[in-house]
């Protein structure tokens, strides 16, 4: 088998397989596939590999998994004390922490 002389187009085969090319570039790569035996052979190998991976990869229902997760714990409200009409957040003193 001969090598492709246009490595740039050959390197776009994986992007074509993922449908990640703009239509103009995808058309150019498809036209190249019809004229280049080396790239056409590589395209067939790539398609076969994609089919094997698709068949052996289990599908994951993310929505079902998320719906079964437990609800997050409720945040506990901060303890607030009133001093002389103003509300302040309580913080332990160093002596209380040492005890």
């Amino acid at each position: 088998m001969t090598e492709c002389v246009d490595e740039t187009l050959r390197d776009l085969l994986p992007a074509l397989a993922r449908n990640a090319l703009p239509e103009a570039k995808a058309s150019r790569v498809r036209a190249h596939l019809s004229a280049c035996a080396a790239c056409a052979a590589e395209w067939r190998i790539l398609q076969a590999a994609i089919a094997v991976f698709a068949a052996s990869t289990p599908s994951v229902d993310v929505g079902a998994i998320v719906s079964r997760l437990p609800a997050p714990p409720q945040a506990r409200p901060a303890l607030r004390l009133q001093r002389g009409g103003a509300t302040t957040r309580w913080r332990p003193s160093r002596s209380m922490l040492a005890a």
Side-chain angles (χ1 to χ4, degrees), residues 11-91:
D11 290 344
L12 293 175
L13 292 177
L16 179 67
R18 292 188 318 270
N19 295 320
L21 291 177
E23 187 52 41
K25 201 172 266 190
S27 296
R28 187 170 161 222
V29 175
R30 283 189 214 101
H32 176 75
L33 284 173
S34 64
C36 178
C39 285
E42 190 166 334
W43 177 250
R44 286 190 296 276
I45 292 169
L46 185 60
Q47 292 296 99
I50 289 170
V52 167
F53 286 130
S56 63
T57 304
S59 63
V60 177
D61 187 358
V62 176
I65 293 170
V66 171
S67 69
R68 292 185 180 119
L69 290 175
Q74 297 295 324
R76 294 177 58 186
L79 181 60
R80 299 202 178 265
L81 302 174
Q82 287 192 346
R83 287 189 191 161
T87 303
T88 59
R89 185 171 178 192
W90 178 79
R91 290 188 183 99

